Amino acid sequence: MLRKPFIAGNWKMNMTVASAKKLIEELKPLVKDANCDVCLCVPAVLIPEAVKAAQGSNIKIGAQNIHWSASGAYTGEISADMLKDYGVQYAIIGHSERRQYFGETDETVNKRTLAALNSGITPIVCVGETLSERENGETENVIYRQLEQGLKGIDDVSKIVIAYEPVWAIGTGKTATDAQAQETVAFIRKTAGKLFCPKCAEKLIIQYGGSMNAGNCKGLMAQPDIDGGLIGGASLKLDFATIVNYDK
Ligand code: PGA
């Protein structure tokens, strides 16, 4: 298999120690025969409990952000090595909510992505256009810029995961159509081939994210360039297992 499908959950700022533990325990038997890689990106404070609960299963645990420095005077931040210490294997970088509410830019996305790679954490780098950018025909320009600037200095693009998340589809119940998602994801692969090398772009895992759920996952996953999903709302319930088992 050139690209193993990869379904990741993004819990955002949800769950408690008790509910996290309960959901992971319930998910474990339901996802154990998955043909894809499975990960849950949980709030930082829940990482220790989530790692413990997922032990011995095929569920990997990820973070939702990473600071680019190894240590220092950065109140409130968490470094890649600290996450690695707990067994974190993936980290979402540059989610649109961070770009929108926390001043994330292509430059900081780039620094965080490089820091993750340096520590052996696989970054899930999010890109995507807003509704007005789509309506103005700027989707490809915006995504080209996010890729060119956000991924600067990476030696092999197949070492990261990219999540295409149209901002207008996140948490709105408005999913991109299968064709819209495929078209933009194919553009991302073509651009990665141009910016890096066509061979690495062929190996690059690209997820779709934005109101992906148990009902629409099959159609999205059937698209030739879509290798997985980044699941928000539906990853907070057992529906996540249905998505992980999309091919059964
Ligand atoms: P959603 O979120 O599935 O709730 O739309 C996806 C995401 O923001 O990663």
Side-chain angles (χ1 to χ4, degrees):
M1 204 183 324
L2 184 60
R3 302 190 296 266
K4 186 170 182 195
F6 176 37
I7 306 279
N10 174 11
W11 281 3
K12 309 193 180 186
M13 197 174 71
N14 292 294
M15 306 295 265
T16 61
V17 170
S19 59
K21 205 172 144 194
K22 181 167 178 279
L23 181 57
I24 293 173
E25 289 300 346
E26 287 172 353
L27 283 172
K28 280 201 289 193
L30 302 177
V31 304
K32 71 174 180 9
D33 297 319
N35 294 316
C36 58
D37 284 327
V38 183
C39 171
L40 288 171
C41 296
V42 307
V45 289
L46 298 180
I47 287 170
E49 195 59 50
V51 168
K52 213 164 35 169
Q55 222 157 39
S57 80
N58 57 334
I59 301 175
K60 293 168 182 147
I61 300 301
Q64 299 175 6
N65 190 23
I66 268 182
H67 194 264
W68 52 82
S69 287
S71 62
Y74 299 102
T75 303
E77 292 297 314
I78 298 175
S79 76
D81 284 347
M82 291 172 182
L83 296 169
K84 185 83 187 167
D85 227 15
Y86 270 108
V88 163
Q89 298 183 57
Y90 292 92
I92 297 172
I93 306 284
H95 190 279
S96 64
E97 286 149 16
R98 295 212 59 84
R99 293 181 193 255
Q100 191 180 345
Y101 305 126
F102 302 102
E104 192 82 67
T105 63
D106 292 330
E107 193 192 341
T108 55
V109 167
N110 184 235
K111 287 158 89 171
R112 294 184 206 280
T113 301
L114 293 171
L117 284 171
N118 256 338
S119 296
I121 291 176
T122 303
I124 303 174
V125 180
C126 300
V127 298
E129 80 288 0
T130 61
L131 183 59
S132 66
E133 288 164 344
R134 175 159 283 265
E135 286 173 348
N136 292 332
E138 291 166 4
T139 299
E140 293 194 349
N141 287 342
V142 167
I143 288 174
Y144 191 93
R145 189 207 69 222
Q146 290 174 336
L147 293 173
E148 186 184 41
Q149 296 181 17
L151 306 184
K152 233 184 250 171
I154 293 176
D155 60 340
D156 178 352
V157 77
S158 69
K159 289 187 187 150
I160 70 164
V161 172
I162 292 178
Y164 167 55
E165 299 206 307
V167 179
W168 48 272
I170 295 177
T172 58
K174 243 198 241 168
T175 330
T177 63
D178 297 347
Q180 273 173 331
Q182 163 59 25
E183 188 188 14
T184 310
V185 169
F187 172 76
I188 291 171
R189 195 175 306 287
K190 196 176 84 190
T191 305
K194 230 191 266 173
L195 295 173
F196 297 91
C197 74
K199 261 214 171 103
C200 342
E202 275 307 302
K203 287 194 276 174
L204 166 67
I205 306 277
I206 309 178
Q207 300 174 320
Y208 168 80
S211 298
M212 191 160 163
N213 58 39
N216 60 27
C217 60
K218 255 193 200 346
L220 287 160
M221 290 301 291
Q223 303 306 307
D225 281 288
I226 298 178
D227 308 312
L230 185 54
I231 321 296
S235 73
L236 297 169
K237 14 183 210 183
L238 295 180
D239 281 25
F240 185 66
T242 312
I243 302 173
V244 163
N245 293 310
Y246 69 92
D247 58 337
K248 303 210 174 106

